[in-house]
Amino acid sequence: IDELSNDFVGKVRVGKLNTDDNPNVASKYGISAIPTVLVFKGGNIVDKFVGVQPKPKMSSVIESHL
């Protein structure tokens, strides 16, 4: 996630959420496994990854939504 953040500086915002500290947010977005990566565009979820994913796959999906 940190590498993706660096790769897309100025193009996307990347944030992390500790689900133990924020259970209401995790529940709101249906996060039941860690890691879960949600991709938002215009305030809506446009893609979701559950479990460890290869960086090239995540980069490709992010690029497709730019």
Side-chain angles (χ1 to χ4, degrees):
I1 297 302
D2 292 333
E3 288 180 24
L4 289 171
S5 177
N6 291 331
D7 293 348
F8 290 98
V9 169
K11 295 180 183 178
V12 300
R13 284 188 245 169
V14 177
K16 294 181 185 180
L17 175 78
N18 183 322
T19 57
D20 290 333
D21 294 339
N22 301 280
N24 293 338
V25 177
S27 178
K28 176 181 177 179
Y29 291 107
I31 298 171
S32 60
I34 303 299
T36 295
V37 176
L38 303 175
V39 180
F40 290 85
K41 184 172 185 176
N44 298 311
I45 297 173
V46 294
D47 228 310
K48 180 177 183 176
F49 301 100
V50 178
V52 177
Q53 303 293 319
K55 181 182 170 190
K57 178 180 177 182
M58 290 195 293
S59 292
S60 175
V61 168
I62 292 169
E63 286 281 350
S64 76
H65 293 293
L66 292 179

